[in-house]
């Protein structure tokens, strides 16, 4: 029986459930610590959305059911669908909070809804480990719903022919719905078992921001001149312009993107964020190139050489220039990640979360500057952030949000990011993205090629997946197969240490986030590669867990390119 559920604490999910008739479960492969509840986890095929973010999935074997260790409650739940005296499990997992009905040690079912004729949904909540594996008993027949429920009831004595007509209509409806759902699943879902969830439907266009007068505090700069569009997206556009005779970049937001403007402005205005390798913020304003002017604006430093993607497409870079770009990029990211007090100002650690060659700009001196802080997130630190810091995320979904799919770390593609220490986890995800950018830079270095002729520029994974990979394709390549962009063998023979470049990249894009280098350590290793004569051995107590180098290390615009700042 195909059913669509809408429950206050579970995501709505689609039809086509797999019948599971509550086999006995004995889980010798997982033991819950005293402080955490451990529950059976199962979601029928066709789920739109998931409750897996309410806990940490444990490795329970090749197939369902699995085990989940709860993060936010000590309560398990289960949902069963009773159809024609047959019970099918639809969903099992962790509740998002503890409720009074969670005190039961057993899964005592209660009827909750009638999603279709002859079908009743039963739910339970309980407060012991694995208590949701099986229900203790079904309520007696004749009590199919809660008071006030609107589910259809069977009529005693109803004629057989009427039942057959209704059954025929129901079968036709289910066939129609099934064909639609099958078509959607074939387009959106991965064929690999255990792959990522289906790609979400495109979000509807947001309504204009109606909360407060956002423009009251923003000046309208009459001296600001708009010259030409550099990049244009759905609700933002970047212009080249001038302010008081100075060349600037102007990021213009539509009235539907006021919240996005406020979030990015809040990060740029953090005290102490000034750095040579972070795009410099000049001011916030309101206006536009047309008449009457409208919309909020961010006025930023302009870098005429464009994005790193554009630059690498049009230019090659010798070893020295490549190292300048790579080192400056690592310096900028290390600065973002660092929490510091300087001259009485507190700068919290910041995760970029959308590091890509489209969001990195090339300065006049050939170094890089990191831009587009629209998804940047202030991280928890040793010191309490002041009240002006941007709002912290309100749940797992906000922490999991990320930018360009191509550069997303495996734990973001697989939705297994460590939410217990999400500050460290987001830094590690940034370092994975940094590794892909370093590979793109080095791929255009003629000094690493025997014939001094590097191939045309390609984005990371473009050779394997093309210019527009899907989430499923990226998951299969980067998560399941653990493949990374190809490192040519010719790179090994250029530096003093033949394996140093490979080792650096592999230590940054390791499948295990905890095995990756910190951005500060990447900066140290690149400095040793760029200036081997000046390199010094790292002290044993190097901060942030950077592994020491061996003595040899110490001696030694195209269609896919945009620049949204």
């Amino acid at each position: 029986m195909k059913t669509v559920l809408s429950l206050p604490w579970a995501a709505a999910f689609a039809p086509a459930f797999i019948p599971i008739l509550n086999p006995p479960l004995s889980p010798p492969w997982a033991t819950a610590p005293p402080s955490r509840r451990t529950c059976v986890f199962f979601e029928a095929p066709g789920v739109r959305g998931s409750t897996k973010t309410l806990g940490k999935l444990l490795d329970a074997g090749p197939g369902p059911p699995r085990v989940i260790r709860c993060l936010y409650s000590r309560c398990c739940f289960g949902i069963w669908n009773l159809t024609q005296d047959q019970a099918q499990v639809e969903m099992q997992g962790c509740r998002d909070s503890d409720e009074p009905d969670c005190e039961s040690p057993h899964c005592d079912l209660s009827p909750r809804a009638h999603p279709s004729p002859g079908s009743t949904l039963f739910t339970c909540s309980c407060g012991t480990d694995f208590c949701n594996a099986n229900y203790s008993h079904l309520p007696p027949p004749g009590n199919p719903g809660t008071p006030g429920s609107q589910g259809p009831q069977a009529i005693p004595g109803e004629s057989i022919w009427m039942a057959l007509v209704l059954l025929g209509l129901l079968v036709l409806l289910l066939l129609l719905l099934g064909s639609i759902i099958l078509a959607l699943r074939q387009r959106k879902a991965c064929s690999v078992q255990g792959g990522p969830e289906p790609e979400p439907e495109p979000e509807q266009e947001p309504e204009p921001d109606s909360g407060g007068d956002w423009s009251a505090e923003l000046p309208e700069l009459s001296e600001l001149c708009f010259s030409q569009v550099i990049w244009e997206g759905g609700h933002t556009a970047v212009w080249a312009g001038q302010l008081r005779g100075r060349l600037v970049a102007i990021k213009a937001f539509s009235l539907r993107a006021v919240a996005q403007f406020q979030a990015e402005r809040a990060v740029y205005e953090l005290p102490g964020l000034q750095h040579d390798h972070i795009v410099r913020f000049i001011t916030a304003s309101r206006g536009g190139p047309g008449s009457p002017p409208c919309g909020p604006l961010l006025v930023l430093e302009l870098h005429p050489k464009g994005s790193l993607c554009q630059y690498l497409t049009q230019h090659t870079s010798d070893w020295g220039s490549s190292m300048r770009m790579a080192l400056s990029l690592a310096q900028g990211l290390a600065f973002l990640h660092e929490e510091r007090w300087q001259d009485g100002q507190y700068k919290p650690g910041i995760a970029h979360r959308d590091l890509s060659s489209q969001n990195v700009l090339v300065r006049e001196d050939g170094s890089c500057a990191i831009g587009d802080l629209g998804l940047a997130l202030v991280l928890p630190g040793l010191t309490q952030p002041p009240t002006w810091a941007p709002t912290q995320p309100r749940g797992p979904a906000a922490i999991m949000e990320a930018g360009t799919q191509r550069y997303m770390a495996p734990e973001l593609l697989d939705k297994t990011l460590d939410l217990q220490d999400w500050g460290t986890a987001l830094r590690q995800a940034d370092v994975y993205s940094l590794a892909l950018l370093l590979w793109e830079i080095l791929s255009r270095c003629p000094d690493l090629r025997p014939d001094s002729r590097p191939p045309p520029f390609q984005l990371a994974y473009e050779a394997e997946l093309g210019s527009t990979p899907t989430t499923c394709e990226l998951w299969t390549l980067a998560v399941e197969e653990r493949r990374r962009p190809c490192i040519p063998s010719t790179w090994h023979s250029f530096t003093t240490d033949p394996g140093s470049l490979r080792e650096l990249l592999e230590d940054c894009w390791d499948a295990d986030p905890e095995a990756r280098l910190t951005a500060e350590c990447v900066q140290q290793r690149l400095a040793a590669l760029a200036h081997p004569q000046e390199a010094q051995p790292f002290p044993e107590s190097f901060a942030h867990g950077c592994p020491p180098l061996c003595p040899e290390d110490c001696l030694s615009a195209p269609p896919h390119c945009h620049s949204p700042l």
Side-chain angles (χ1 to χ4, degrees):
M1 176 64 62
K2 298 187 176 182
T3 310
V4 176
L5 304 184
S6 179
L7 301 174
W9 38 267
F13 53 98
F17 298 117
I18 296 178
I20 295 183
L21 302 179
N22 301 305
L25 178 65
S26 176
W29 25 257
T31 303
S35 61
R36 296 283 177 82
R37 176 69 61 237
T38 306
C39 309
V40 173
F41 179 83
F42 174 78
E43 290 176 348
V47 168
R48 294 195 302 266
S50 176
T51 62
K52 68 173 62 174
T53 57
L54 298 179
K56 182 176 182 181
L57 286 174
L58 304 180
D59 186 8
R66 300 182 66 184
V67 165
I68 188 168
R69 185 167 294 160
C70 301
L71 295 177
Y72 306 106
S73 74
R74 292 182 55 77
C75 187
C76 305
F77 79 87
I79 306 175
W80 279 264
N81 186 3
L82 181 63
T83 305
Q84 297 178 351
D85 298 327
Q86 289 189 341
Q88 298 177 357
V89 62
E90 311 289 16
M91 213 168 183
Q92 295 164 307
C94 293
R95 287 283 298 266
D96 58 352
S97 62
D98 292 323
E99 302 293 342
D101 57 351
C102 295
E103 298 175 357
S104 172
H106 306 292
C107 178
D108 298 323
L109 292 182
S110 300
R112 284 291 183 265
H114 299 279
S116 62
S119 174
T120 303
L121 287 180
F122 293 87
T123 68
C124 76
S125 296
C126 50
T128 58
D129 289 338
F130 308 110
C131 61
N132 66 333
N134 299 284
Y135 57 79
S136 56
H137 67 277
L138 280 174
N143 184 27
T146 57
S149 66
Q150 302 299 316
Q153 303 294 322
I155 302 175
E158 187 180 63
S159 62
I160 297 178
W161 69 266
M162 181 61 72
L164 293 175
V165 169
L166 292 176
L167 181 60
L169 291 175
L170 183 59
V171 170
L172 289 175
L173 178 61
L174 293 179
L175 288 175
L176 178 61
L177 290 175
S179 62
I180 295 174
I181 292 167
L182 181 60
L184 291 176
R185 288 172 63 84
Q186 286 175 342
R187 291 179 56 190
K188 296 181 179 180
C190 291
S191 59
V192 181
Q193 183 178 1
E197 297 175 10
E199 297 176 34
E201 296 287 344
E203 295 184 3
Q204 295 183 352
E205 191 172 87
E207 295 297 324
D209 192 296
S210 57
D213 185 5
W214 58 268
S215 63
E217 59 175 308
L218 293 177
E220 184 178 343
L221 302 175
S222 57
E223 309 96 329
L224 187 63
C225 299
F226 293 77
S227 301
Q228 66 182 52
V229 175
I230 301 175
W231 176 86
E232 189 168 8
H235 298 291
T236 58
V238 179
W239 290 71
Q242 292 190 27
L243 178 62
R244 304 183 188 94
R246 176 184 181 182
L247 293 175
V248 294
I250 308 164
K251 188 170 185 178
F253 297 78
S254 73
L255 295 179
R256 297 180 180 274
V258 171
Q260 180 183 344
F261 158 78
Q262 291 171 332
E264 188 165 1
R265 177 192 180 188
V267 177
Y268 273 120
E269 289 186 337
L270 290 174
L273 196 63
Q274 295 73 36
H275 191 272
D276 285 344
H277 303 302
I278 304 295
V279 171
R280 195 171 302 277
F281 170 75
I282 298 174
T283 188
S285 177
R286 58 187 171 91
S291 180
C294 63
L297 308 171
L298 292 177
V299 183
L300 306 163
E301 183 180 22
L302 178 68
H303 297 290
K305 290 191 174 183
S307 70
L308 179 63
C309 177
Q310 292 171 320
Y311 185 85
L312 292 176
T313 301
Q314 299 167 7
H315 304 87
T316 60
S317 300
D318 60 21
W319 175 253
S321 300
S322 297
M323 284 295 100
R324 182 182 300 111
M325 286 191 288
L327 181 57
S328 61
L329 187 54
Q331 289 170 337
L333 185 61
F335 172 78
L336 273 184
H337 286 181
E338 182 183 16
E339 176 189 20
R340 62 162 63 181
W341 281 92
Q342 184 173 352
D343 299 329
Q345 291 183 326
Y346 171 79
K347 180 204 140 317
I350 300 168
H352 189 280
R353 301 205 298 167
D354 194 12
L355 199 61
S356 69
S357 52
Q358 291 90 341
N359 293 338
V360 173
L361 303 181
V362 179
R363 293 157 46 97
E364 287 291 346
D365 63 358
S367 63
C368 293
I370 297 174
D372 196 347
L373 301 182
L375 287 178
L377 191 62
V378 171
L379 303 175
L382 300 177
T383 309
Q384 179 66 31
T387 56
W388 40 255
T391 304
Q392 297 301 300
R394 297 182 180 180
I399 297 174
M400 286 286 193
E401 183 182 5
T404 310
Q405 286 188 141
R406 182 185 300 273
Y407 299 91
M408 285 170 59
E411 60 270 23
L412 289 171
L413 291 169
D414 204 25
K415 302 187 185 303
T416 57
L417 187 99
D418 182 8
L419 296 176
Q420 294 296 298
D421 186 9
W422 57 269
T424 299
L426 291 179
R427 287 183 175 97
Q428 293 165 343
D430 275 352
V431 170
Y432 173 89
S433 304
L434 172 64
L436 298 184
L437 298 189
L438 296 180
W439 178 89
E440 290 181 0
I441 291 171
L442 294 170
S443 71
R444 292 290 282 162
C445 178
D447 290 338
L448 295 178
R449 295 281 175 171
D451 57 0
S452 299
R453 297 180 63 184
F457 174 71
Q458 286 187 312
L459 299 170
Y461 297 125
E462 187 172 358
E464 296 83 359
L465 300 178
S467 58
T468 55
T470 65
T471 304
C472 291
E473 291 172 337
L474 284 166
W475 180 89
T476 300
L477 187 79
V479 180
E480 185 183 48
E481 299 177 0
R482 295 195 174 194
R483 291 169 59 190
R484 298 293 183 265
C486 176
I487 301 176
S489 59
T490 54
W491 291 13
H492 305 168
S493 59
F494 180 77
T495 58
T496 304
D497 176 9
S500 56
L501 287 180
R502 172 181 288 273
E503 181 183 0
L504 173 62
L505 294 179
E506 290 178 346
D507 287 347
C508 290
W509 62 35
D510 197 290
D512 179 7
E514 295 184 359
R516 295 176 200 152
L517 305 178
T518 63
E520 184 176 357
C521 188
V522 177
Q523 172 187 334
Q524 294 286 340
R525 289 204 182 182
L526 286 170
L529 287 172
H531 309 290
Q533 68 281 2
E534 301 173 9
Q536 298 295 327
F538 295 127
E540 293 183 1
S541 59
F542 188 83
H544 309 297
C546 176
L549 296 179
C550 60
E552 289 81 7
D553 281 322
C554 300
L555 296 174
S556 45
H560 49 222
C561 295
H562 307 292
S563 180
L565 292 176

